[in-house]
Amino acid sequence: MSPGQIAALVAAGAFVLLVLLLAIPLIKLGRTLDEATIAIRKAHQNSDPLFSGANTTITHVNTQLERVDGITANARAVTGNVSALTSLFTATLGGPLVKAAALSYGLSKAVRARRKSAEQPKKHSRRGRR
């Protein structure tokens, strides 16, 4: 054997060793990809019941929201009615009641002042004539 053939045999052996060393990680990577594919398939199969449950829940929520919209509309109508009633009361009875309250306050103050002045002795009832 010539030195070139020996070098070729050593190179071929090194290449075979390199291929064997790289084949092991490639085989493991292939197994990992197979497991990932199986996991994705299972997740896809299990997601259908989840999505149907979510759709059912959303349907119930929409039903409840429609009820809440109805309640809100009724509350808005009641608020408008109360506002109109308050305005009517203020326009009809508010003005006269305020005037009557002011009159009674003024009368009671005048009566108290008169009583107070009647109870106190007059200091300057007689003024000296000059």
Side-chain angles (χ1 to χ4, degrees):
M1 285 196 149
S2 71
Q5 289 176 340
I6 293 175
L9 281 176
V10 170
F15 183 72
V16 168
L17 186 64
L18 179 67
V19 168
L20 287 175
L21 289 176
L22 289 177
I24 294 171
L26 286 175
I27 291 172
K28 287 184 180 181
L29 181 64
R31 288 181 188 159
T32 304
L33 289 175
D34 288 341
E35 290 295 324
T37 303
I38 292 170
I40 289 171
R41 197 171 291 140
K42 284 182 182 178
H44 177 67
Q45 290 171 352
N46 293 335
S47 66
D48 288 338
L50 180 69
F51 287 139
S52 66
N55 284 338
T56 305
T57 302
I58 289 173
T59 303
H60 289 302
V61 167
N62 284 338
T63 304
Q64 295 301 322
L65 285 176
E66 288 174 4
R67 289 180 184 170
V68 168
D69 285 342
I71 292 169
T72 305
N74 291 338
R76 190 179 309 125
V78 168
T79 303
N81 291 340
V82 168
S83 176
L85 185 61
T86 303
S87 298
L88 179 67
F89 177 77
T90 303
T92 308
L93 300 175
L97 281 178
V98 168
K99 289 177 184 176
L103 178 67
S104 66
Y105 177 74
L107 286 175
S108 67
K109 193 161 185 162
V111 167
R112 268 190 252 130
R114 195 151 220 227
R115 284 183 189 162
K116 192 174 185 181
S117 68
E119 291 173 359
Q120 290 180 354
K122 297 181 182 177
K123 291 182 180 178
H124 303 290
S125 59
R126 292 187 178 173
R127 292 199 173 193
R129 293 188 183 177
R130 295 184 194 181

